[in-house]
Amino acid sequence: IFISAFLFRYFKISIRAKDFSPSNHPLIFIALFSIQLRNPYMGFADFRAAFTSDTPLDWSVEPTQGSLKQREDTTFVLKFKPQGMGIVQGYLVIETEDFKKTWQVIGST
């Protein structure tokens, strides 16, 4: 897994599915990556997590909604299940009433 952070605009996550063990079928690969996030402000904040509409369905995230707490990490699990060969990229957005964070995700087979 290669991870690099861009300080101003967004974070970039790159995952290569072939770096992970295949599932039961030899041609199906699933890569998982987790992000931990806290509410930077006091108390808690309701959030929504989703990929932008132009992100291929190869990507999914859980949970898609809930509450971010100030003193406890919330773990977001990104799943990359490629539907074909090549490079697949998109954007994950986690948003509350007070802030919005965006990650660029890039997966390859």
Side-chain angles (χ1 to χ4, degrees), residues 35-48 63 65-76 94-97 99 101 103:
I35 298 171
Q36 294 192 346
L37 190 61
R38 289 184 185 193
N39 180 16
Y41 305 103
M42 289 186 59
F44 69 94
D46 292 335
F47 71 83
R48 289 188 53 198
Q65 59 186 8
S67 293
L68 289 178
K69 298 174 182 144
Q70 182 186 22
R71 296 183 183 183
E72 184 180 325
D73 288 331
T74 298
T75 301
F76 295 89
I94 300 175
E95 186 172 14
T96 71
E97 192 174 295
F99 71 87
K101 294 191 180 278
W103 288 263

Side-chain angles (χ1 to χ4, degrees), residues 30-102:
I30 299 172
L32 299 174
F33 184 81
S34 64
I35 298 171
Q36 294 192 346
L37 190 61
R38 289 184 185 193
N39 180 16
Y41 305 103
M42 289 186 59
F44 69 94
D46 292 335
F47 71 83
R48 289 188 53 198
F51 288 93
T52 57
S53 61
D54 59 340
T55 301
L57 297 177
D58 300 35
W59 290 98
S60 62
V61 63
E62 287 292 329
T64 57
Q65 59 186 8
S67 293
L68 289 178
K69 298 174 182 144
Q70 182 186 22
R71 296 183 183 183
E72 184 180 325
D73 288 331
T74 298
T75 301
F76 295 89
V77 178
L78 284 66
K79 184 189 297 183
F80 174 57
K81 184 177 178 185
Q83 304 298 310
M85 301 296 288
I87 296 173
V88 179
Q89 61 183 339
Y91 293 91
L92 169 66
V93 179
I94 300 175
E95 186 172 14
T96 71
E97 192 174 295
D98 299 320
F99 71 87
K100 177 177 170 180
K101 294 191 180 278
T102 304

